[in-house]
Amino acid sequence: EVSELSRRVEARYGFMVHRDADYLTWRFQRGRSRLHRSFGIYDRDGSFKGYVVVQLPRDGELHGFIVDLLAEGEARAAALGAGLAALDKGNASIVHATAVDGSAWADELGSSGFSPAADRNQMKIILHPNQTDHPVTIAARRTARWYFTDGDRDDETM
C-alpha cells in the first residue's frame, strides 16, 4: 500500500525518494537509534491513507522530530496531528522537522505552525550539473517540485 501511495504522490514531484515497505523498514524500523515510531492513517472503512514517522527525544533531550509523512488530501493533516500527538506522549516539548526552502513540505510545515529555520540552521544545497538540459537538472532547479522530508537525510546511517 505504501508503494502504491508513493507512486501516486511521486507523479506530482520532480524529486522524491520512493517509499515502500523495504525502505520504511530499513530507514526507520531497523535504524540504529531505535527512536522512530511509525503510524498508519486509515479511513473508517479500513483503507490505508498514509503514514507519519516520528523520532522520539533522545535521553535527556526535549525535542523530537517529524521525520517522514506520506498521505494525500485530508489524511495529511490527520498524519501530522498523529505525529504531534505521539511526540507529546513521548515527552517531546519541542518538535522539529527539516525541509528544503521553497519546497512543498516547507510550505506545509509553515502553514501548520512550524517556524522557519534560524539562519544558523540553514544548509546550502549546491547544484553542479553536467548536463544543464537533463530532466534531473531541470527538476533540481525547481525546489517547489521537491518532496524531501527529514527522513530522507542519511545522517543517522553514516
Side-chain angles (χ1 to χ4, degrees):
E1 293 172 313
V2 171
S3 185
E4 291 171 18
L5 175 60
S6 186
R7 290 291 183 217
R8 288 195 309 271
V9 173
E10 288 167 29
R12 296 191 296 269
Y13 294 95
F15 266 157
M16 182 175 156
V17 172
H18 178 71
R19 283 111 162 108
D20 61 18
D22 290 337
Y23 170 80
L24 294 177
T25 299
W26 165 79
R27 182 65 187 98
F28 303 116
Q29 290 1 97
R30 292 193 181 142
R32 288 182 177 184
S33 73
R34 300 285 187 231
L35 295 173
H36 293 106
R37 302 294 182 271
S38 303
F39 301 92
I41 306 301
Y42 297 86
D43 208 344
R44 286 191 172 117
D45 66 3
S47 60
F48 176 73
K49 296 298 180 182
Y51 69 85
V52 63
V53 180
V54 300
Q55 180 180 319
L56 299 174
R58 288 183 165 87
D59 286 338
E61 294 185 357
L62 299 174
H63 57 270
F65 298 83
I66 300 285
V67 295
D68 198 15
L69 187 148
L70 186 66
E72 295 178 294
E74 294 174 354
R76 292 187 69 75
L80 186 57
L84 293 172
L87 288 168
D88 183 46
K89 186 175 181 181
N91 296 318
S93 298
I94 302 164
V95 177
H96 295 279
T98 301
V100 175
D101 286 346
S103 69
W105 180 235
D107 292 344
E108 185 165 350
L109 289 171
S111 68
S112 297
F114 282 79
S115 300
D119 288 342
R120 70 181 181 281
N121 293 332
Q122 290 192 347
M123 295 180 280
K124 304 288 184 205
I125 297 173
I126 301 170
L127 177 64
H128 292 287
N130 290 325
Q131 298 176 2
T132 57
D133 61 341
H134 191 280
V136 173
T137 303
I138 293 167
R141 293 185 192 281
R142 299 175 56 205
T143 57
R145 299 224 342 107
W146 289 20
Y147 190 94
F148 286 111
T149 63
D150 199 39
D152 294 321
R153 299 175 305 140
D154 62 358
D155 63 333
E156 190 181 74
T157 62
M158 294 190 292

